[in-house]
Amino acid sequence: MAILPILEYPDPRLHTIAAPVATVDESVKTLIGDLADTMYAAPGIGLAATQCDVHQRVIVIDTSDTRDQLLVLVNPVIKRADGEQVFEEGCLSVPGIYEEVKRAEHVVIEALDREGRLFTLEASGLLAVCIQHEMDHLMGKVFVEYLSPLKRNRAVQRLRKRRRERAPA
Ligand code: K1U
Ligand code: ZN
């Protein structure tokens, strides 16, 4: 298992559309393990392969307090989405920036698990937000792209300031 580097906004590779996984083989299982290690180490509650410059439809999520409920989504598809919720989101590719985004309150998805078995999942609240956020990454979309141009520019300025302050002198 390995901790992978995470791409940071506005890296153009974050806008790559991920390809579906043909078979959940050993290389995909290694990727799943590496993404999980990277998410737990960050720490985060989700991570899409896109963020680690791997352009396959693979996501890991763990929104549990105990950090031991790993959810693996391979080739996820939203079958139903309804309701509305506004949640203050963060992103490991946009470190230190938290902004409100409006998304569906409830989603029903289909995906393959880490053994390649098809399953259906119903989610609401934080889990539904996280699934939608990670699925956006697979489509090359980063959450700040939902913000108004003014709010997005402010977020980019804050990100640049944060990087300047953290750069070695
Ligand atoms: O996609 C990512 O970059 C991961 C992101 C997921 C996410 C968070 C909040 C709303 C929607 C999606 C994160 O995990 S940011 C870090 C974070 O929220 C967190 C980290 C540690 C403990 C609890 C939360
Ligand atoms: Zn993100």
Side-chain angles (χ1 to χ4, degrees):
M1 302 296 174
I3 309 286
L4 306 174
I6 298 177
L7 300 177
E8 289 197 7
Y9 189 83
D11 191 311
R13 292 171 289 181
L14 285 168
H15 296 125
T16 310
I17 297 178
V21 169
T23 317
V24 181
D25 58 15
E26 284 311 308
S27 72
V28 174
K29 288 180 185 177
T30 300
L31 172 64
I32 290 167
D34 291 348
L35 290 174
D37 284 353
T38 306
M39 174 188 73
Y40 286 122
I45 56 170
L47 191 65
T50 309
Q51 294 174 273
C52 296
D53 203 21
V54 178
H55 302 289
Q56 298 184 47
R57 291 184 62 80
V58 180
I59 287 169
V60 294
I61 291 176
D62 189 343
T63 56
S64 71
D65 291 337
T66 44
R67 313 286 286 151
D68 60 358
Q69 305 288 315
L70 181 66
L71 175 65
V72 174
L73 304 178
V74 176
N75 296 346
V77 178
I78 295 187
K79 306 300 283 185
R80 228 176 60 216
D82 45 68
E84 253 180 38
Q85 61 177 322
V86 175
F87 194 89
E88 189 172 81
E89 300 189 13
C91 182
L92 298 173
S93 295
V94 195
I97 305 296
Y98 294 86
E99 292 287 348
E100 287 188 339
V101 177
K102 192 197 292 181
R103 296 197 189 263
E105 160 61 26
H106 179 250
V107 291
V108 178
I109 60 155
E110 264 182 16
L112 303 179
D113 68 11
R114 67 184 101 177
E115 299 303 330
R117 296 172 299 221
L118 185 68
F119 69 102
T120 302
L121 176 73
E122 285 198 34
S124 50
L126 174 61
L127 180 56
V129 167
C130 196
I131 289 171
Q132 293 171 80
H133 176 115
E134 302 309 334
M135 286 184 69
D136 273 351
H137 277 303
L138 300 182
M139 294 306 293
K141 183 154 184 168
V142 181
F143 86 108
V144 289
E145 289 157 5
Y146 285 108
L147 305 178
S148 67
L150 182 67
K151 279 193 173 176
R152 195 198 309 183
N153 284 338
R154 278 192 194 146
V156 170
Q157 296 310 319
R158 274 184 279 146
L159 199 55
R160 288 201 181 121
K161 183 165 180 280
R162 193 175 184 272
R163 275 187 200 132
R164 275 198 307 274
E165 286 166 357
R166 289 180 170 228

